[in-house]
């Protein structure tokens, strides 16, 4: 006897919730929540928003529903947007990267949901019934040529009443692919789904806050290694990996697991600098290090690896690999470091020993990815000892080092996501203003 369709769908929701509870990175989880919510409701498109402070903070913003005044200094930022109708022609390729913010007021649909904690199921966005405080903003439709019809928008609220963000799915479709209103059944499934995933989201925020505190500690020691540098490197790394995984036909679950850990591990690439003396770390000017000082500076790789030893999780293992090996060279050049070293024997403040270099795929994949993201970001942003390169020049430099400093397959992936990298970089520039 076959299970009723509703029972099958509910079982799928529960299975999805279990998978989401295994994700540790907030951004990866948010993207997956949007993907799965759209699948549950058979929605063509959707967006997920997070609450942020108007002035960037090192801690993710949260707020309480039903207290509009609590949002005075906060805004909603679109974190991910998906649209099957406007996806690139290549299968599994991502939608274009988007960035915009909206004030948290009752005049927008997403803002209304955040302020009031209510769910809005709108059959026709262009013909909203009744005298409502909120209106549909058609500017995105106009700029993209898309036609929004049905919308289901709901806040992501924890059991303690904290609003973490807003989930919005757009244009439900029937079996024939025609756009329809979201059914009562779909609303109930999405409500159940949203209610359960907020617990997983809370857990990832705890991990995120812990990593950000470690970042701030490193930033206090080395002001040029700003929090936004670390976040950009993490975002760039994820884009490179996603394209590389697509090119190499990596299985979906393997890809999801690796990218989740990579997003966190990439943020830890330079944490070892907390063990480098200020006399060296903050020494100004080009060519500022003596040979001995440079060798001591190189020791930050070993210090970073020591921070994640003994590893207690897969995150620790990858964070250790990234911290230790993100300065290796693909061709085995002695310019790369630290090579085949017993990093646990390294003593803080001492010059690093010369070791046999690592080469090619002996360098962990995660470290090879972060190497590209880190160098690109360092080139394209100013430092106390240099001006920023142009974006085009930074891309050309990475390309010129393909097969030398960097894995050629990863450089190819990096170049293939050039527009997304540029968009992410521009989004961070807007956030910093």
């Amino acid at each position: 006897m076959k299970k009723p369709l509703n029972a099958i769908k509910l079982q799928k929701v529960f299975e999805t919730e279990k998978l989401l509870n295994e994700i540790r990175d907030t951004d990866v989880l948010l993207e997956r929540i949007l993907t799965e919510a759209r699948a549950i409701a058979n929605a063509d498109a959707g967006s997920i928003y997070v609450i942020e402070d108007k002035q960037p903070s090192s801690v993710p913003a949260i707020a309480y529903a039903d207290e509009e005044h609590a949002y005075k200094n906060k805004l909603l930022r679109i974190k991910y947007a998906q649209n099957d109708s406007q996806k690139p022609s290549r299968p599994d390729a991502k939608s274009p990267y988007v960035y915009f913010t909206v004030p948290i007021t009752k005049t927008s649909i997403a803002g209304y949901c955040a302020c009031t904690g209510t769910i809005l199921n709108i059959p026709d966005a262009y013909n909203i019934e009744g005298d409502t405080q909120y209106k549909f903003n058609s500017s995105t439709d106009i700029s993209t040529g898309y036609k929004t019809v049905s919308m289901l928008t709901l806040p992501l609220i924890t059991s303690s009443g904290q609003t973490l963000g807003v989930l919005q799915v757009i244009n439900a479709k029937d079996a024939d692919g025609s756009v329809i209103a979201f059914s009562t059944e779909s609303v109930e499934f999405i409500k159940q789904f949203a209610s359960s995933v907020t617990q997983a989201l809370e857990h990832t925020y705890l991990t995120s806050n812990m990593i950000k505190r470690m970042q701030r500690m490193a930033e206090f020691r080395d002001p040029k290694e700003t929090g936004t540098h670390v976040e950009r490197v993490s975002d760039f790394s994820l884009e490179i990996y996603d394209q590389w995984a697509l090119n190499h036909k990596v299985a979906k679950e393997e890809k999801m697991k690796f990218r989740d850990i990579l997003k966190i591990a990439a943020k830890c690439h330079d944490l070892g600098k907390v063990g480098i003396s200020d006399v060296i770390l903050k020494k100004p000017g080009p060519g500022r290090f003596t040979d001995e000082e440079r060798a001591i500076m190189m020791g930050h790789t070993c210090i970073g690896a020591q921070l994640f030893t003994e590893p207690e999780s897969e995150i620790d293992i990858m964070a250790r690999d990234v911290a230790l090996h993100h300065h290796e060279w693909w061709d085995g050049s002695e310019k790369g470091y630290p090579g085949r070293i017993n990093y646990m024997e390294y003593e803080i403040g001492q010059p690093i020993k010369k070791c046999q270099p690592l080469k090619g795929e002996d360098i962990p994949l995660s470290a090879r990815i972060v190497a590209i993201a880190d160098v690109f970001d360092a080139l394209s942003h100013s430092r106390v000892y240099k001006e920023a390169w142009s974006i085009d020049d930074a891309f050309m430099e990475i390309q010129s080092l393909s097969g030398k400093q960097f894995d050629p397959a990863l450089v190819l992936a990096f170049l293939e996501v050039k527009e997304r990298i540029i968009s992410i970089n521009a989004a961070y520039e807007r956030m910093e203003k």
Side-chain angles (χ1 to χ4, degrees), residues 335-400:
K335 295 178 182 178
Y337 63 89
R340 301 183 188 280
I341 193 171
N342 184 340
Y343 66 88
M344 289 302 295
E345 292 181 354
Y346 173 75
E347 295 182 17
I348 294 177
Q350 296 300 309
I352 201 166
K353 294 178 181 178
K354 285 269 188 183
C355 295
Q356 181 186 356
L358 288 184
K359 181 179 181 179
E361 293 186 359
D362 287 343
I363 307 166
L365 174 61
S366 54
R368 297 182 341 242
I369 293 169
V370 173
I372 295 173
D374 185 35
V375 171
F376 172 78
D377 193 70
L379 291 174
S380 56
H381 291 83
S382 61
R383 294 289 188 264
V384 292
Y385 54 87
K386 75 168 192 69
E387 295 297 321
W389 291 27
S390 72
I391 292 291
D392 285 340
D393 284 347
F395 271 101
M396 288 176 64
E397 179 70 2
I398 298 295
Q399 186 173 10
S400 73

Side-chain angles (χ1 to χ4, degrees), residues 12 16 20 32-41 193 252:
K12 174 65 176 174
T16 300
L20 295 183
R32 190 69 180 268
I33 287 172
L34 177 58
T35 299
E36 299 299 340
R38 288 179 49 236
I40 291 169
F193 176 71
K252 180 181 177 181

Side-chain angles (χ1 to χ4, degrees), residues 59-80:
V59 179
I62 55 177
Y64 289 87
D66 299 318
E67 295 181 15
E68 188 170 0
H69 67 276
Y71 296 100
K72 183 178 179 181
N73 295 314
K74 301 181 187 297
L75 47 78
L76 280 173
R77 177 164 78 90
I78 192 165
K79 192 68 179 178
Y80 292 102

Side-chain angles (χ1 to χ4, degrees), residues 1-2 15-16 33 46 63 78 86 109 142 164 208 224 274 288 302 314 334 336 350 353 357 365 385 428:
M1 182 177 178
K2 290 185 178 180
E15 290 172 355
T16 300
I33 287 172
I78 192 165
Q86 296 187 328
I109 293 171
I142 293 170
L164 303 177
S208 176
K224 73 177 183 295
V274 298
R288 62 196 192 282
C302 294
E314 290 177 292
E334 290 190 358
Q350 296 300 309
K353 294 178 181 178
L365 174 61
Y385 54 87
Y428 275 100

Side-chain angles (χ1 to χ4, degrees), residues 94-214:
K94 290 184 173 182
S95 301
Y97 182 87
V98 295
Y99 173 90
F100 64 83
T101 61
V102 294
I104 306 180
T105 67
K106 294 179 181 178
T107 57
S108 71
I109 293 171
Y112 185 89
C113 288
C115 287
T116 64
T118 57
I119 298 171
L120 293 178
N121 184 11
I122 300 172
D124 186 348
Y126 285 87
N127 294 286
I128 297 175
E129 296 181 356
D131 184 19
T132 62
Q133 291 177 274
Y134 53 85
K135 303 295 180 186
F136 172 65
N137 185 345
S138 62
S139 60
T140 302
D141 276 9
I142 293 170
S143 64
T144 62
Y146 190 70
K147 178 63 183 297
T148 299
V149 182
S150 56
M151 299 180 72
L152 175 60
T153 310
L154 63 163
L156 298 172
I157 303 175
T158 69
S159 57
S160 61
Q162 295 173 326
T163 301
L164 303 177
V166 173
L167 173 64
Q168 188 171 74
V169 286
I170 298 169
N171 285 359
K173 289 190 172 183
D174 62 17
D176 297 322
S178 300
V179 176
I180 57 173
F182 287 92
S183 66
T184 302
E185 175 190 295
S186 288
V187 173
E188 289 305 312
F189 279 127
I190 294 290
K191 280 173 63 178
Q192 160 67 30
F193 176 71
S195 175
S196 58
V197 297
T198 49
Q199 184 176 1
L201 200 53
E202 282 183 281
H203 290 160
T204 66
Y205 269 43
L206 293 175
T207 302
S208 176
N209 288 344
M210 179 189 68
I211 296 296
K212 287 186 176 183
R213 289 185 183 102
M214 295 174 72

